[in-house]
Amino acid sequence: MKQLKAALFDLDGVVFDTESQYTVFWGSQCRLYHPEHPGLEHEIKGSTLDQIYDHWWAGPLEKERAVVTERLNAFEARMDYSYIEGFEPFLTDLRQHGVKTAVVTSSNHSKMEAVYRARPEFRSLFDAILTSEDFDESKPSPDCYLKAAARFGVPSTDCVVFEDSINGLKSGVASGASVVGLTTTNPLEKVETLSDYQIVNYNGLSYESLIRVLF
């Protein structure tokens, strides 16, 4: 019988209300370098920076990577890292019930340093923080969530993944975990096809209610 032993959270659009900010940044860069591909900023959500560069800033554009990275670092340093509504009390409730918690993000160490500066309490909220440097394969591969489950020594079927991007949702499903989809980035009709339960934010969500709907 499945049990809820670990909760695994993506970062942007799941813990922090930052996806709209990234859409603005990547929209500006994509329009500058790829005007032939409108909407590209939406397609790359859930991808690592290396994936974005390998696919979209290759060949003649490779020389522009350093410039884009410098702009991105400056942007992330001044971003607003506000928690999704209801996240903090929900996380506290999970931990009080003995559920292990982890951030599982495609962000890299440089981005996380910006998070730690803006949110000094962040590290203490989770039992583990896994970043892009910890994975061999990026979302939609399940590698990141399988590694997070292994970090806690629990089967992935006893985990709940919280995701918002299409690649992230696919990753969670492929891992065998239960998946809660947040509609912070994509519309409900897209999220519900790749998740077991959908939420707008964490208001009203608790350990007990999660058990009822998923286990």
Side-chain angles (χ1 to χ4, degrees), residues 5-90:
K5 295 182 177 178
L8 313 176
F9 297 87
D10 179 44
L11 187 65
D12 295 293
V14 173
V15 174
F16 292 130
D17 188 13
T18 47
E19 275 301 340
S20 60
Q21 297 175 72
Y22 275 114
T23 299
V24 170
F25 174 80
W26 283 112
S28 68
Q29 301 308 298
C30 291
R31 285 190 295 274
L32 180 62
Y33 293 102
H34 288 287
E36 81 290 352
H37 200 114
L40 178 58
E41 65 269 24
H42 300 288
E43 293 182 31
I44 63 178
K45 286 183 183 295
S47 303
T48 66
L49 187 58
D50 285 342
Q51 282 179 313
I52 294 170
Y53 281 166
D54 288 346
H55 196 78
W56 296 104
W57 270 263
L61 288 181
E62 187 170 350
K63 66 182 185 300
E64 298 295 321
R65 293 181 184 182
V67 175
V68 176
T69 299
E70 184 177 350
R71 291 172 183 158
L72 178 60
N73 289 341
F75 182 81
E76 290 177 334
R78 62 177 186 272
M79 279 176 63
D80 174 32
Y81 292 101
S82 296
Y83 292 111
I84 298 289
E85 281 188 45
F87 175 74
E88 292 172 281
F90 172 61

Side-chain angles (χ1 to χ4, degrees), residues 7 19 21 37 40-41 44 73 91 102 105 107 120 125 132 139 149 162 174 183 186 188 197 200 207 215:
E19 275 301 340
Q21 297 175 72
H37 200 114
L40 178 58
E41 65 269 24
I44 63 178
N73 289 341
L91 191 72
T105 176
S107 299
L125 298 179
S132 62
K139 303 170 186 178
F162 293 81
T183 58
N186 290 287
L188 176 62
Y197 187 63
V200 176
Y207 170 84
F215 293 88

Side-chain angles (χ1 to χ4, degrees), residues 140-212:
S141 165
D143 180 57
C144 58
Y145 286 117
L146 293 174
K147 280 187 167 61
R151 177 77 64 93
F152 294 138
V154 302
S156 59
T157 50
D158 287 347
C159 298
V160 177
V161 164
F162 293 81
E163 270 285 0
D164 65 314
S165 71
I166 300 303
N167 281 342
L169 291 164
K170 288 179 177 179
S171 176
V173 170
S175 75
S178 298
V179 178
V180 174
L182 281 87
T183 58
T184 50
T185 302
N186 290 287
L188 176 62
E189 56 267 26
K190 287 189 176 182
V191 173
E192 65 184 355
T193 63
L194 293 167
S195 56
D196 301 295
Y197 187 63
Q198 302 80 41
I199 58 175
V200 176
N201 54 46
Y202 299 94
N203 287 338
L205 194 62
S206 67
Y207 170 84
E208 295 293 344
S209 64
L210 200 60
I211 292 293
R212 285 197 298 272

